[in-house]
Each structure stands twice: as structure tokens, then as C-alpha cells.
Amino acid sequence: MKNTLKNPAVYLMFVIPTIAHYGLFFLYPMFSSVFYAFTDWDGLNPAKFIGFDNFTKAFSDDQFHVAIWNNMYFLLFSVILQVPVIIVCALLISNVKRFAGLYKTTVFVPSILSTSVIGILWGFIYDPDIGPIAAFLKFFGMEPIYWLAESKWAMKAILITNAWQWVGFYIVLILAAILAIPKDIDEAAAIDGATAPQRAWYLTLPLIKPIISVVVMLSIAGAMRVVDVVLVMTNGGPAGSTEVMASIMVNKAIKYGEYGYGMALAIIIFAFALVLTAIYQLTLGKSERVEY
């Protein structure tokens, strides 16, 4: 057995299949996407090299400009509004003594549901005729709101739906970091006279700063790649007001057969996500290692 483990061929038998799968399903698609991004290709006929025309076309397209701004709305909503709510909810749940497991499970359930299911569920909630929101407004004598059919409401409705799906996942991440803090630290601060809000602000938040940084970076990446909830709920409508970069990419490549253009959009999305996460990591995302 010892001689077998000393044989490099044994390790290669385990490593080579993994490397082969990595190359086949990750490296090859990635490099082929870069190649086709510089071509005019419909997926059937031979690709024709056109240089940077696809990228020029993207940044000169007014609809793509709207999509970029919509992705920025997702980003700002996630980082500025969603993250503080996540932290507050995690702090509250961490102090619950009874039914803590029930609260954890309840907030986490939406993140394991299919986006198609969530889109249909919230489509019913937003329904102006039979939805619960419409019934609530009607009870108070107010006119129904066409959440997904009016440009001024559609994007807000999708932002709320997307937040509802993923807030619980991030709450569980931060909650795990809070519960990992030794209780002796919090008890010592309480004995010294620190109130609960003071302990949360001056003790808990600094200790969980690394995981908060991770949550922010995941939120940035999620805001850049969001697509499924848009396609399910509005498909970019009404009048393209809820289009995001990834929804345009999917529609151009699959619906209209402009695969070369779709590949170029995929690279642009990747570049946006990479630059934004790098900027955050080099500025606000810097944090020292926390030791208890």
C-alpha cells in the first residue's frame, strides 16, 4: 500500500479526470466564447471574424444602456438597502431564545426555491385583479396598481422579488458568523455596562466584518448576473424597461440566433462584475483577520 501511494501514476489517475472535466466544461467554453465574441456567428453557419464590431454595437445600443442602468439599480438596492436589512435581521435572530431554528428555516426557504416558482408566486401577489396586494388596496378604496405592466413599477417589483428570494441565504451566512463569536466576549461587555445596541455596533459588527465583506461581494456579483427573475416575470418588459444585460444576452443569442453578439455581451458582463468586485475589494472591502 505504501509503495502504491508513492507511485506518481496513482495520483495522476485521480487528477487527470478532474483536470479533463475542468478543461472540457470550463476552459474550453470560456476560450471559445472569447473567440466567437469577435465573430458574426448564428450557431449554424461558419463564424465570420468582425473584430470589435459586436462590442461597438453593444455600447451604441440605447436598450443596452437601459440594461446597464437596471443592473446598477440591482447593485445599489442590494448593497445600500438589502445588506443593512440582512445584518439587522441576523442580529435579531441571533438573540432569539425560543424557536430560533424555526426562524432560521423560515428565512432560508425562499433561497432554495426555483426562480420560476418564485416568479409565478410573486406574479400572483402583484396581480391587479386577484392578488393580495390588489385586495388590500381595494379594501381601503384605492385603485389597483399594475406592478408588472407599468414601467415606473415593474423594476421596483422585480427588485423586491429578487431580494425576498436571496435575503434569507445571506442572513444565514451572517448569523453563522455571529453565533461563532464566543459568548464570553458579549457577556464581558454586558457586565461592563454596554447596552445591546452598543454591543451590536462596537463588538459584533467589527467581529463579523469579513463575512459582511463576502456578502457584499456576492451581492455585487449577483446584481451583475441577474437574469432568471427578469425573464420569468416580465421578459424585459414593459417596453424594455426591466431589461438587464444578461436578459439581452439570452434573447440575442437564443431567441434571435446572434450567438457572436451574445458572447460579446457575456464578456462585457464578466468585465463589469470583475471590475466592480475588484474596486470594492481594493477599497471598502479591505479587512484584517479577526481572531477571538
Side-chain angles (χ1 to χ4, degrees), residues 21 107 147 152 160 242:
H21 279 80
V107 299
W147 295 97
K152 65 178 180 179
I160 294 172
T242 60

Side-chain angles (χ1 to χ4, degrees), residues 133-205:
I133 296 179
F136 177 81
L137 295 176
K138 184 178 180 180
F139 179 79
F140 288 97
M142 302 171 64
E143 293 294 326
I145 298 175
Y146 293 84
W147 295 97
L148 301 178
E150 295 184 11
S151 299
K152 65 178 180 179
W153 296 113
M155 195 64 199
K156 299 177 180 65
I158 291 177
L159 288 172
I160 294 172
T161 303
N162 187 71
W164 183 82
Q165 180 180 8
W166 294 111
V167 158
F169 173 75
Y170 296 131
I171 287 176
V172 171
L173 287 181
I174 293 183
L175 186 60
I178 294 174
L179 296 178
I181 300 174
K183 293 183 179 180
D184 297 344
I185 300 177
D186 187 72
E187 291 174 355
I191 292 173
D192 289 338
T195 62
Q198 288 175 333
R199 298 199 302 273
W201 182 261
Y202 294 106
L203 183 64
T204 304
L205 289 181

Side-chain angles (χ1 to χ4, degrees), residues 178-239:
I178 294 174
L179 296 178
I181 300 174
K183 293 183 179 180
D184 297 344
I185 300 177
D186 187 72
E187 291 174 355
I191 292 173
D192 289 338
T195 62
Q198 288 175 333
R199 298 199 302 273
W201 182 261
Y202 294 106
L203 183 64
T204 304
L205 289 181
L207 290 176
I208 64 172
K209 186 178 178 182
I211 194 64
I212 293 176
S213 179
V214 171
V215 168
V216 172
M217 285 192 294
L218 290 175
S219 299
I220 293 173
M224 289 297 101
R225 62 179 176 80
V226 63
V227 60
D228 42 10
V229 67
V230 174
L231 293 177
V232 171
M233 297 189 72
T234 63
N235 196 27

Side-chain angles (χ1 to χ4, degrees), residues 15 19 51 80 86 104 110 136 155 167 175 190 200 203 216-217 277 284 290:
V15 173
I19 295 176
I80 297 177
I86 290 169
K104 296 176 188 177
F136 177 81
M155 195 64 199
V167 158
L175 186 60
L203 183 64
V216 172
M217 285 192 294
T277 52
L284 301 177
V290 176

Side-chain angles (χ1 to χ4, degrees), residues 75-136:
L75 175 61
L76 295 174
F77 185 87
S78 299
V79 175
I80 297 177
L81 296 179
Q82 190 172 307
V83 171
V85 171
I86 290 169
I87 296 172
V88 171
C89 290
L91 288 170
L92 293 175
I93 295 175
S94 67
N95 291 312
V96 171
K97 304 301 181 183
R98 300 181 61 185
F99 306 111
L102 175 63
Y103 293 124
K104 296 176 188 177
T105 303
T106 302
V107 299
F108 187 71
V109 165
S111 63
I112 64 176
L113 295 177
S114 167
T115 304
S116 300
V117 173
I118 290 175
I120 294 173
L121 171 63
W122 279 86
F124 166 74
I125 293 174
Y126 290 134
D127 191 286
D129 298 320
I130 60 174
I133 296 179
F136 177 81

